[in-house]
Amino acid sequence: ALDLVDAVQIVVYGKPDLEIRSPSATTIEHHNTVSALDYFEMIDGLHLDVFLLATEEADDLEIKSELLFGELALLGIPILCNSLHPCRRYIKDGENGFVLQAEQTYRDALRGLIARKDSLANIGKNAQLMTKKHLCWNTQRANQLQRVFALGRS
């Protein structure tokens, strides 16, 4: 079995509400939140292979999830989330990100991602392309306008 202690470096961004537990030999690199002007440079500078969203559903998470997915995807960072997280609706598992299956643990999922590390850049690129095509502001506004004008014709 693959030893995650040697294969995974945990990077925490923001102010975690919960104490983060890691294997004893694994160090946790912590970065506090930064201003909106520095956000993309900060995240891009971390050189992340995958971004794990372990959060359960929450009231304000629905609104933030599309924005967060879009931000990370535009940087080419694939997301791993659980099956309850709102980001799951943007992810085609294994194509542009990863959704933790009910029977999987995060540990199992990370082992699988490490085994396919060479394909993570392509999966990040797929997330980037999907975001540009479907989630960018201009595309969303154009789709809204099409729906409004389509209603007027019926």
Side-chain angles (χ1 to χ4, degrees):
L2 180 64
D3 185 9
L4 291 181
V5 172
D6 295 329
V8 174
Q9 178 184 3
I10 298 173
V11 177
V12 176
Y13 175 76
K15 301 172 186 159
D17 295 330
L18 304 173
E19 181 181 326
I20 297 172
R21 293 173 290 161
S22 71
S24 58
T26 301
T27 59
I28 297 176
E29 183 180 325
H30 186 268
H31 297 272
N32 291 321
T33 54
V34 295
S35 73
L37 296 173
D38 298 326
Y39 174 75
F40 287 103
E41 186 176 345
M42 162 66 140
I43 296 296
D44 192 41
L46 292 174
H47 305 289
L48 302 173
D49 292 320
V50 67
F51 198 97
L52 188 140
L53 292 173
T55 310
E56 299 290 329
E57 282 187 303
D59 294 339
D60 63 341
L61 201 54
E62 193 71 27
I63 296 165
K64 293 177 183 176
S65 65
E66 183 175 302
L67 180 62
L68 181 60
F69 178 84
E71 290 169 350
L72 295 168
L74 284 173
L75 291 172
I77 303 170
I79 290 177
L80 166 64
C81 69
N82 62 32
S83 61
L84 299 175
H85 198 284
C87 271
R88 74 190 180 285
R89 70 173 172 240
Y90 305 112
I91 297 174
K92 291 183 181 176
D93 191 41
E95 187 177 319
N96 68 346
F98 306 94
V99 178
L100 189 70
Q101 302 306 310
E103 67 281 356
Q104 277 185 307
T105 65
Y106 281 105
R107 187 177 298 253
D108 293 337
L110 287 172
R111 281 191 178 103
L113 294 178
I114 291 165
R116 52 188 301 192
K117 184 173 169 57
D118 294 341
S119 66
L120 291 178
N122 287 334
I123 291 167
K125 181 68 76 180
N126 290 341
Q128 194 175 53
L129 293 171
M130 189 281 291
T131 299
K132 287 178 180 176
K133 184 175 181 181
H134 298 290
L135 297 179
C136 76
W137 190 87
N138 290 337
T139 302
Q140 290 178 340
R141 297 303 84 70
N143 290 340
Q144 288 172 343
L145 288 172
Q146 282 181 327
R147 286 193 296 273
V148 166
F149 286 112
L151 289 174
R153 289 189 214 130
S154 38

